[in-house]
Amino acid sequence: LDPQQLRDLPQFVDADLCAAGVMLRDALEGDDISSGVMFEAMSRVLLVKLLQRYGQRRPEEIALSARFTSAHYSRVLGFIRANLDRTLTNDDLAREVGMSPSHFGRVFKETVGVTPMRYVLAYRVEQAIDMMKEPDRTLGQIALDCGFADQAHFSRSFKQVTGRTPRQHREDLGAEAQL
């Protein structure tokens, strides 16, 4: 990053960044087998949130790598957002950026640090966490809106990524709201 890529903004409270920071801290403090994976995933989420919210675009395209550019990344992320509620495959994502599935999987992992499907899962869970802030939304509806087959699949995947169940997370949100 060049020094001018992030805007210099006064301090303020950003709920999404605070939530990502808390999850990052919790992953760092955890002693179980998934702590390392969780910390790595949450640090990437925090970085992406910082760049999305506060990063300034350069006039020229910033190449993430010679084979996977920021334009590729933007198209993939846009495709995931637009199709969050349906099953996505590596082939779908590769087709979106005009690459073969094997080449796409390789350059995506080289550039982003995780496989495309691991990234999609982390993104789905991140969106589910945002949706849980709406108390009227059921966990079953959130599961379907985020592209999980059912609530059981959602719970297993959520726990795999965060180390907690969706119900535990929502209960914690309720407890925080009461403070």
Side-chain angles (χ1 to χ4, degrees), residues 23-149:
M23 290 172 52
L24 186 62
R25 183 202 62 212
D26 292 347
L28 188 58
E29 292 174 348
D31 270 344
D32 59 56
I33 197 164
S34 66
S35 297
V37 174
M38 183 63 177
F39 177 77
E40 185 177 322
M42 289 298 105
S43 62
R44 291 179 197 283
V45 167
L46 183 64
L47 178 60
V48 169
K49 283 190 172 293
L50 281 169
L51 289 173
Q52 283 177 333
R53 292 250 168 92
Y54 308 111
Q56 293 177 339
R57 294 190 186 273
R58 293 183 187 175
E60 75 278 2
E61 181 177 312
I62 303 165
L64 297 174
S65 82
R67 299 176 297 174
F68 193 77
T69 65
S70 59
H72 290 125
Y73 180 79
S74 294
R75 287 196 59 167
V76 167
L77 186 56
F79 184 79
I80 293 169
R81 281 185 185 137
N83 297 284
L84 185 65
D85 62 341
R86 71 178 196 88
T87 302
L88 297 174
T89 65
N90 191 60
D91 290 1
D92 295 331
L93 300 177
R95 191 175 315 109
E96 181 64 21
V97 293
M99 294 182 187
S100 74
S102 59
H103 179 68
F104 170 74
R106 195 170 36 257
V107 297
F108 188 94
K109 184 166 185 190
E110 275 175 21
T111 306
V112 179
V114 294
T115 66
M117 292 300 94
R118 179 68 73 187
Y119 182 86
V120 169
L121 177 63
Y123 186 80
R124 289 181 194 280
V125 169
E126 177 187 337
Q127 296 308 302
I129 288 169
D130 284 344
M131 290 177 191
M132 283 184 203
K133 295 173 186 168
E134 301 171 34
D136 294 340
R137 272 186 132 150
T138 66
L139 292 177
Q141 187 59 49
I142 291 170
L144 295 175
D145 290 347
C146 291
F148 294 99

